[in-house]
Amino acid sequence: MTNLSESATVTDTKAPAFEPSVRYLLRDGELVEYANAKLHVLSTTLKYGVGVFEGFRAYWSDEDQQLYAFRVADHMRRLIDSMRVVEIDGPRDIGVLSEQLLGLVRANGLRGNLHMRAQVFVDSSDGKPEDTGPVTVFMAAIPMGNYFGASGLDVQISSWARLSDRSMPPRVKSIANYQNGRLAMLEARRNGYDAALLLTEDGHVAEGAGYNVFMVRQGRLCTPPATDSILEGITRDSVLHLARNVLGVDVDIRAIDRTELYSADEIFVCGSAAEINHVSSVDRTPIGEGTAGELTRQLQQAYRQAVVGRVAADQQWALPVYPTA
């Protein structure tokens, strides 16, 4: 029997009661009950933040009675790139990873808009920061609607600078990177804003707390380059393609100064979870009329069509989840 000091207390380890919206998650390719998808508290990921992930979206089409997963292979490719950059061992087969994720959705019988995740954790027992393995791969698929819960965002320029490529790799989806955006978001919420944008160390606009940013100024659509400490966003890439090839709009990929935002005609943020959402104000300065501008609305419409295969079908972005007749 374990001896406890008089001052020690015993914590009830019984799992809390909850009602998950899905039954299964995936662990290393095997279905596990939602409540049993666990890591040890001393795993290297929990101790040191050593892990990478991807966030995906899937969209239900009433017209087709089909669920479409958006750019799954591209997300899995970036997951593999992230593992390489931060030196984590793990699976490297895009096709296998993609089919595992779709199989999880089918196993749960989900037919509605979803947010999906693939997470690679360094799961060494009581390990060291430099451990590269062994790894555990978890996947999840959870119903999700509007990420922000509203259309139109009041945004604050954060006092926190975006991390740079000299300190940590911003272009990959490392779990540790998200502390940077988390701090910016907490600051923004304390100050009464909906969202945050971060600047680089030299003062250029980088990205938001988990989303890329675009600006329309003097009739030109602009977005920061990948070298300005941004995540190489897949939704960002989709917007670039839709603007150029569907709407016939040129895009300037260039450094953006903070003060340019205040005189912009339109601003929107984009990401897998965030989708495309317009910015109503920056630091309490209204952007345009405070509503979504014309180009933003056109891109939102094109994106809504692209995620279910109606637009940019030649890109094969929208992957049917369920077998077709």
Side-chain angles (χ1 to χ4, degrees):
M1 180 180 293
T2 301
N3 293 321
L4 299 175
S5 67
E6 291 183 0
S7 61
T9 59
V10 178
T11 301
D12 184 359
T13 58
K14 181 179 175 182
F18 62 92
E19 293 292 334
S21 55
V22 297
R23 181 177 179 183
Y24 299 115
L25 274 66
L26 206 68
R27 176 174 181 152
D28 294 331
E30 300 293 329
L31 293 173
V32 295
E33 294 284 345
Y34 189 101
N36 294 326
K38 301 175 182 177
L39 290 172
H40 195 278
V41 294
L42 291 181
S43 66
T44 302
T45 281
L46 289 177
K47 288 170 65 179
Y48 303 112
V50 185
V52 295
F53 76 100
E54 279 297 315
F56 314 71
R57 277 278 197 166
Y59 294 87
W60 176 253
S61 169
D62 284 328
E63 181 178 348
D64 298 340
Q65 289 295 292
Q66 178 62 269
L67 183 66
Y68 293 96
F70 191 61
R71 299 194 66 170
V72 172
D74 293 318
H75 278 283
M76 292 303 184
R77 186 174 295 108
R78 188 173 63 181
L79 182 70
I80 292 168
D81 288 344
S82 295
M83 284 189 278
R84 289 196 183 103
V85 171
V86 301
E87 299 187 56
I88 292 177
D89 302 332
R92 297 292 197 263
D93 191 313
I94 292 172
V96 170
L97 290 168
S98 299
E99 183 51 40
Q100 286 177 346
L101 181 64
L102 299 181
L104 172 65
V105 176
R106 296 184 198 115
N108 281 297
L110 297 168
R111 285 173 166 80
N113 293 349
L114 306 177
H115 186 255
M116 304 173 291
R117 293 177 71 88
Q119 305 180 121
V120 183
F121 301 112
V122 175
D123 198 15
S124 50
S125 178
D126 199 14
K128 302 179 292 297
E130 63 268 26
D131 286 351
T132 63
V135 304
T136 293
V137 181
F138 272 114
M139 295 188 188
I142 308 293
M144 176 185 274
N146 186 302
Y147 174 75
F148 290 106
S151 176
L153 304 172
D154 294 316
V155 172
Q156 178 186 32
I157 303 295
S158 181
S159 66
W160 294 96
R162 174 66 174 160
L163 57 87
S164 78
D165 205 54
R166 295 187 63 187
S167 56
M168 295 175 70
R171 62 172 27 89
V172 304
K173 288 185 76 72
S174 167
I175 291 171
N177 286 2
Y178 277 72
Q179 180 71 1
N180 185 219
R182 175 179 177 271
L183 291 171
M185 194 65 186
L186 288 171
E187 176 187 48
R189 291 289 174 83
R190 280 196 306 271
N191 292 328
Y193 293 88
D194 302 312
L197 290 177
L198 295 95
L199 306 180
T200 65
E201 292 285 357
D202 58 2
H204 292 147
V205 175
E207 65 175 32
Y211 26 88
N212 294 118
V213 61
F214 283 77
M215 168 187 76
V216 179
R217 186 167 185 264
Q218 297 178 351
R220 304 287 297 183
L221 181 62
C222 310
T223 195
T227 49
D228 267 353
S229 296
I230 71 167
L231 175 72
E232 292 181 315
I234 289 171
T235 307
R236 173 183 178 271
D237 181 71
S238 302
V239 170
L240 290 171
H241 178 88
L242 294 172
R244 290 164 170 162
N245 298 288
V246 176
L247 301 182
V249 174
D250 290 333
V251 186
D252 294 337
I253 300 177
R254 64 167 179 81
I256 296 174
D257 289 330
R258 172 179 185 164
T259 51
E260 290 187 273
L261 298 178
Y262 300 141
S263 59
D265 303 311
E266 305 177 36
I267 300 174
F268 63 87
V269 298
C270 66
S272 294
E275 301 170 294
I276 299 175
N277 205 331
H278 76 273
V279 172
S280 300
S281 70
V282 176
D283 293 339
R284 307 299 183 202
T285 300
I287 304 303
E289 300 298 319
T291 58
E294 179 61 27
L295 183 52
T296 301
R297 289 195 298 269
Q298 291 177 17
L299 286 166
Q300 287 173 327
Q301 177 63 21
Y303 185 74
R304 283 192 292 264
Q305 294 297 307
V307 299
V308 292
R310 300 286 189 273
V311 167
D314 61 310
Q315 300 300 301
Q316 298 182 319
W317 288 343
L319 184 64
V321 173
Y322 293 102
T324 56

